[in-house]
Amino acid sequence: MDSYEPGAHSFVLKIWIEESGDAAIPTKWRGHITHVPSGQRRYFEALEEIIHFVQPYLEEMGVQFAPRQGLPQRWLKCLRHRLTR
C-alpha cells in the first residue's frame, strides 16, 4: 500500500503537562506538531501556533484563506476546551 496520498497531509500533534515543582509557579502545557511526510516539527506553547504551522501546507494544496482568517477557529476552540478541563 502506498503511504503517499496526493492532496492530503498528515500531522502528529503531541501535548504534555510541564510541572515546575514549585506550587507558586503555575503548571504549563507544551506541545509539538510534526508534518509526517517531511518530518518537519515545531514546538509550541500556544494553540494558535498550530495554525501557523499547518496553514502553508493547506495553501500549497490550493486552499485559499481570506486575509486574517486563518484556519477555522471552531476546531481550535474545541481543542482548547479539552485541554483546560
Side-chain angles (χ1 to χ4, degrees):
M1 182 169 124
D2 187 5
S3 62
Y4 175 72
E5 295 180 53
H9 287 278
S10 298
F11 299 88
V12 174
L13 178 66
K14 182 176 181 178
I15 299 173
W16 63 89
I17 299 294
E18 195 171 271
E19 297 186 30
S20 68
D22 184 348
I25 300 173
T27 301
K28 296 181 181 182
W29 63 268
R30 301 279 190 253
H32 65 71
I33 184 168
T34 305
H35 179 243
V36 174
S38 69
Q40 183 178 6
R41 177 178 289 174
R42 177 180 292 177
Y43 287 83
F44 58 87
E45 297 178 20
L47 293 176
E48 291 75 16
E49 294 176 54
I50 297 169
I51 292 171
H52 297 296
F53 184 81
V54 172
Q55 189 167 342
Y57 293 102
L58 296 177
E59 289 172 343
E60 180 182 295
M61 292 170 48
V63 175
Q64 296 180 0
F65 296 91
R68 299 177 46 114
Q69 177 190 9
L71 292 173
Q73 297 296 312
R74 188 169 55 196
W75 72 270
L76 190 58
K77 186 182 281 187
C78 179
L79 181 58
R80 181 178 288 124
H81 173 73
R82 289 177 186 205
L83 287 173
T84 57
R85 278 200 256 171

